[in-house]
Amino acid sequence: MPHSPSAPSPVDAGSKVERRRAFLAECRPATRRIHAPIVDLTGARGHLNPRGLGHARAFSDLGSLGQSSVGFDTLADYEAADEAGRAPYGGAEYGVVQSPEAEAVCTKFARLHGGVGAIVCGSGLAAIATVLDAFAPKVILIPDGIYFPAWRYMSEANLAETGRAALLTYPAGASGAEVGALIREAGRTFAPGETMIYLEAPASGTFEIPDIAGIVDEARRAGIRTVMDNTWGSHVRFRPLDHGIGIAIQATTKYEGGYGDTPSGVAVARDEADLARLRRQLRIGGHGAVSPQTCTRLFHRVDSAESRLARHEAAAASLMRWFEGKAVTADILSPARAASPHHARFRQYFGAGNSLFTVVFDEGLPVGRIHAFVDALLLFRVAESWGGHVSLVLPVHPRRDPASLPKGAMFRFNAGLEEADDLIADLDQAARAALP
Ligand SMILES: *Cc1c(COP(=O)(O)O)cnc(C)c1O
């Protein structure tokens, strides 16, 4: 039930803001900086960042402020630009397609991923949709741990319903041979050019890792295009194109922007023909309208992604150690843990972790206790998305065969950029209040 502004939630508007303020007064400076000013969720309509931040500044003397019209001195100049899709002074002939700021972001991401070029879209999901529509596969091989909205796009919104794509599902931790068998199954009905292999690793929420090299090998032998959602890794932990994958997709909403204020996504292509198809589809679908302010943030923030990731990783490791010592913890899902069945592949491909892990609570623990624990947390916010400065928590509900899933309730944590000791103190106080 949404709370109406006139009847603020009793938990957050009053007592919880006060409790949060008192808790933060005892925290270290880095934590206080991240949570200042203390946002009252009702007043801010749930936004974690304070209002009115960062009014668009010109990116450079040539930077646009997000204008739809691009002017030409002569009709002939315009007609040539319309034909080529490019203005003589760079960028598109129509401002919604690609601003100079967007172009700068694309150039930067292409370099970061070792690709020939990139597109930037208004969200990570829009980047996924643009890639799917650009190649319009008739069959897509997908992992069962796929980011749910990507699955929904494939299965509901568009491709499957119109009879354009069948989906064949492989386990998120599949071997190359398992995917090879699916490739042969697809091959009975579809040509290689009609087939796409879609990877996402580690899997959303549960973090299994497939045999990426084995899958790419099978795909290459069969002449099938590969696409990878690399949001978990970002270019810092994994560069898909270096591993023979054709298109790398990043929800730059997450680590590249890093502060929850850059809704956007990029797709980087390894070859020119693919890039041309992506650019064409960007225009067809209208997904290229990304605000220059978002692009400007992204352009600069991506430079600190590596150091932020190291800090996120260290905080997540501390939090996981805290959960390891608790009787209520049945398991912790993270390939960065030596105990994880995916740890060998994690070391092979990613080498280091990030902010995410999922706690599986003991089956015997009443769900009400877990909810009380989550509600008692003062630094961790209940919120979707991840990869930002604020620590977050959210239940995980994978939509797949329950037999392949752990039994207890699962909650995904995003370790933010606060001081890890303050986050631990928050877990301690919530546990004292709510856990047996
Ligand atoms: C968040 C996310 C996306 C989509 O990003 P949005 O910008 O929120 O649309 C795609 N893939 C993965 C794995 C994600 O976690």
Side-chain angles (χ1 to χ4, degrees):
M1 271 269 280
H3 303 294
S4 77
S6 55
S9 145
V11 177
D12 219 274
S15 61
K16 197 155 184 182
V17 168
E18 287 319 311
R19 275 159 54 219
R20 185 170 276 129
R21 195 184 310 285
F23 188 82
L24 275 161
E26 304 298 317
C27 288
R28 291 149 188 82
T31 304
R32 288 208 302 270
R33 259 198 315 276
I34 281 167
H35 285 265
I38 297 169
V39 173
D40 171 345
L41 290 183
T42 308
R45 301 190 176 211
H47 287 190
L48 297 185
N49 286 312
R51 274 189 228 211
L53 264 192
H55 286 294
R57 279 237 221 113
F59 177 63
S60 69
D61 286 350
L62 291 174
S64 83
L65 289 168
Q67 303 179 35
S68 51
S69 293
V70 174
F72 298 91
D73 280 332
T74 68
L75 202 50
D77 282 351
Y78 165 70
E79 279 174 353
D82 189 39
E83 184 82 6
R86 297 182 73 73
Y89 10 84
E93 92 296 359
Y94 160 52
V96 170
V97 178
Q98 214 180 21
S99 64
E101 292 84 353
E103 186 138 293
V105 164
C106 289
T107 303
K108 191 157 190 162
F109 275 85
R111 202 171 301 137
L112 289 172
H113 277 274
V116 296
I119 56 165
V120 61
C121 302
S123 70
L125 184 58
I128 292 169
T130 302
V131 169
L132 293 172
D133 288 348
F135 301 105
K138 293 219 165 81
V139 60
I140 313 173
L141 277 57
I142 56 167
D144 61 4
I146 190 170
Y147 175 65
F148 171 72
W151 176 84
R152 188 173 54 196
Y153 186 74
M154 293 173 188
S155 63
E156 285 180 25
N158 182 351
L159 306 171
E161 252 178 27
T162 55
R164 281 204 281 149
L167 301 178
L168 291 178
T169 305
Y170 62 87
S175 64
E178 280 174 282
V179 174
L182 268 193
I183 288 176
R184 284 182 286 285
E185 189 183 324
R188 286 199 282 274
T189 316
F190 302 101
E194 298 172 328
T195 308
M196 174 186 280
I197 299 180
Y198 186 99
L199 296 98
E200 180 192 330
S204 275
T206 44
F207 312 118
E208 298 90 338
I209 301 173
D211 173 6
I212 298 172
I215 294 173
V216 170
D217 222 47
E218 293 279 352
R220 189 186 293 127
R221 266 185 281 148
I224 292 172
R225 180 186 317 283
T226 46
V227 163
M228 180 168 175
D229 179 341
N230 190 51
T231 300
W232 187 99
S234 86
H235 68 281
V236 176
R237 296 286 184 252
F238 192 74
R239 301 204 326 165
L241 309 190
D242 291 350
H243 294 258
I245 288 163
I247 311 264
I249 302 171
Q250 297 285 154
T252 44
T253 308
K254 310 281 170 53
Y255 292 126
E256 288 81 358
Y259 292 82
D261 58 359
T262 57
S264 55
V266 302
V268 185
R270 202 180 43 176
D271 72 51
E272 294 285 356
D274 282 359
L275 180 64
R277 287 175 78 161
L278 292 178
R279 287 205 167 128
R280 180 170 175 275
Q281 186 58 41
L282 190 70
R283 165 167 299 243
I284 292 170
H287 281 309
V290 188
S291 93
Q293 181 172 338
T294 297
C295 291
T296 305
R297 286 173 174 162
L298 209 47
F299 185 85
H300 293 299
R301 299 256 190 82
V302 70
D303 293 338
S304 63
E306 187 164 355
S307 56
R308 282 185 283 108
L309 266 163
R311 191 172 162 96
H312 282 300
E313 177 194 20
S318 303
L319 301 181
M320 287 194 278
R321 274 195 299 280
W322 185 92
F323 277 104
E324 275 166 14
K326 295 289 170 276
V328 295
T329 306
D331 199 2
I332 300 171
L333 309 182
S334 161
R337 301 178 71 223
S340 165
H342 302 279
H343 190 62
R345 284 178 183 162
F346 165 83
R347 291 183 52 158
Q348 177 185 353
Y349 297 121
F350 302 99
N354 63 13
S355 63
L356 295 176
F357 63 93
T358 291
V359 175
V360 183
F361 285 96
D362 189 86
E363 265 187 279
L365 188 66
V367 174
R369 288 277 191 142
I370 307 173
H371 287 191
F373 169 69
V374 168
D375 288 347
L377 291 166
L378 294 170
L379 296 181
F380 293 84
R381 295 292 204 170
V382 175
E384 296 205 10
S385 200
W386 46 268
H389 56 316
V390 176
S391 289
L392 308 173
V393 55
L394 203 70
V396 179
H397 301 297
R399 290 165 176 84
R400 64 176 130 135
D401 181 9
S404 70
L405 294 167
K407 292 280 174 295
M410 291 190 270
F411 283 77
R412 185 194 69 196
F413 287 81
N414 171 67
L417 297 177
E418 300 95 337
E419 288 285 351
D421 288 346
D422 291 326
L423 296 173
I424 297 285
D426 192 21
L427 293 175
D428 275 332
Q429 66 81 23
R432 277 195 303 275
L435 294 179

